[in-house]
Amino acid sequence: MFKKRNLKWLSVLATLMMIWVQLGGALVTKTGSEDGCGSDWPLCHGALLPQNLPIETIIELSHRAVSGLSLIIVSWLVITAWKNIGHIREVKPLCKISVGFLLIQALVGAAAVMWQQNDYVLALHFGISLISFASVFVLTLIIFDLDQKYEANIVHIEKPLQIYTWIMTGIVYVTIYTGALVRHTESSLAYGAWPLPFGDLVPHGVHDWVQLAHRIMATLAFIIIMVTYIHAVKHYPNIRTIHYGYTASFILIILQVTTGALSIITEVNLIIALLHALFITILFGLISYFILLILRSNRGEQ
């Protein structure tokens, strides 16, 4: 017999697993563990569990295990949600996106191990897995009836906030890509001090340009989210979904910028780097929910 409570627990578990996939990927890159299993996939150094287990191999194996387990749990969630709450309009598309992008993410990761793809292709890996996480996250919000609790199902979003939100989405996604590129090109400590090396502003190589590009995009992301937040709380003061949601997004971008600065100041402290990945993951999931509200609002007009 179907129980909504069981589906809620399953959705929470799937969301947490997807967050750990994101953090695990960041951990692999930050610790230089990409080659922890050599060029073998799905085996590791030609074995299911090699005898020699340095820390890089343990980290890479753990990430593979979590990714595989997340695929099982997300698939379980998708099948259960499709069967029992598939009548909700957004559920089936979200289910397809969740599994589809999770599979793509796994294939890109496998290709990276076997064929040593260039850094610009590898940077897509984080963005692809973020889309899968965001779809699981939004599906979880639907399962928890957030629409009914905060009247999100009847929210009408006017064009100005829609435009701000779409621009915010694009800028944040490019910021995510440049951030992943910083990790994969090992440019975290390039281009000197934060916010700028005022004694020498001219970039001197590819690593400097990659780091500078990310700082520029992070600045643009902060500005557009701040502008969108101010507009949202000013024009939708009594709509809790909008007020709370965009306030949370502004807090998250502040935390994101702060941890980004601290990563440079502390010379890439691992805990701060993982928090940096965590905040952008949650922020992108939240923005994805805003997109859902916009699409619903447009359908309501039609």
Side-chain angles (χ1 to χ4, degrees):
M1 180 182 295
F2 171 70
K3 291 183 179 180
K4 187 68 172 290
R5 183 177 63 182
N6 294 337
L7 183 58
K8 288 181 178 180
W9 281 110
L10 182 58
S11 67
V12 170
L13 178 60
T15 302
L16 292 175
M17 287 297 298
M18 289 302 298
I19 289 176
W20 185 240
V21 168
Q22 300 300 111
L23 296 182
L27 181 63
V28 167
T29 308
K30 289 294 184 183
T31 57
S33 303
E34 301 95 328
D35 298 323
C37 287
S39 59
D40 293 337
W41 190 93
L43 297 178
C44 183
H45 294 301
L48 186 63
L49 184 64
Q51 293 182 345
N52 185 26
L53 290 174
I55 186 63
E56 292 83 4
T57 301
I58 293 174
I59 291 173
E60 173 65 11
L61 275 175
S62 298
H63 180 53
R64 291 188 187 186
V66 171
S67 297
L69 185 58
S70 68
L71 179 58
I72 295 172
I73 293 174
V74 170
S75 298
W76 184 11
L77 172 66
V78 162
I79 293 170
T80 307
W82 188 295
K83 180 180 178 181
N84 294 285
I85 60 171
H87 59 278
I88 300 174
R89 183 164 186 163
E90 296 86 5
V91 167
K92 290 183 178 179
L94 287 171
C95 289
K96 294 175 183 178
I97 294 171
S98 299
V99 175
F101 276 86
L102 189 56
L103 287 172
I104 294 172
Q105 177 253 346
L107 292 174
V108 171
V113 171
M114 293 186 290
W115 298 309
Q116 300 296 308
Q117 293 176 345
N118 69 64
D119 295 327
Y120 295 90
V121 175
L122 287 175
L124 292 171
H125 189 239
F126 188 72
I128 290 170
S129 59
L130 258 184
I131 294 175
S132 182
F133 161 78
S135 57
V136 172
F137 177 75
V138 174
L139 182 59
T140 298
L141 296 182
I142 292 174
I143 290 170
F144 273 81
D145 299 320
L146 195 72
D147 297 353
Q148 284 69 36
K149 293 177 181 178
Y150 293 98
E151 304 89 30
N153 57 331
I154 58 174
V155 170
H156 177 68
I157 300 177
E158 301 290 343
K159 285 296 180 182
L161 184 55
Q162 291 192 26
I163 293 172
Y164 281 135
T165 302
W166 281 113
I167 295 173
M168 181 173 71
T169 304
I171 290 177
V172 168
Y173 197 78
V174 175
T175 303
I176 290 167
Y177 177 79
T178 57
L181 195 58
V182 165
R183 292 205 310 267
H184 285 288
T185 57
E186 298 181 356
S187 303
S188 297
L189 297 178
Y191 197 57
W194 188 91
L196 293 170
F198 292 105
D200 186 14
L201 288 172
V202 180
H204 296 289
V206 174
H207 292 83
D208 284 354
W209 280 110
V210 169
Q211 175 63 240
L212 177 59
H214 181 56
R215 293 189 194 186
I216 291 172
M217 291 309 305
T219 302
L220 292 176
F222 177 82
I223 292 171
I224 186 61
I225 291 177
M226 180 178 65
V227 170
T228 307
Y229 156 72
I230 292 172
H231 177 87
V233 297
K234 180 180 179 180
H235 292 88
Y236 301 82
N238 299 318
I239 301 178
R240 292 180 295 173
T241 303
I242 301 297
H243 195 98
Y244 295 163
Y246 283 87
T247 299
S249 68
F250 185 50
I251 293 172
L252 285 168
I253 195 62
I254 291 174
L255 293 172
Q256 180 70 8
V257 171
T258 302
T259 52
L262 288 174
S263 291
I264 296 172
I265 294 170
T266 63
E267 298 185 353
V268 197
N269 176 275
L270 186 57
I271 300 300
I272 292 174
L274 292 178
L275 287 174
H276 192 61
L278 175 63
F279 293 140
I280 198 65
T281 297
I282 298 173
L283 175 61
F284 189 76
L286 193 57
I287 292 175
S288 299
Y289 185 64
F290 298 156
I291 298 301
L292 174 69
L293 296 180
I294 288 173
L295 296 176
R296 281 184 175 177
S297 183
N298 290 340
R299 284 204 307 266
E301 288 182 355
Q302 296 173 359

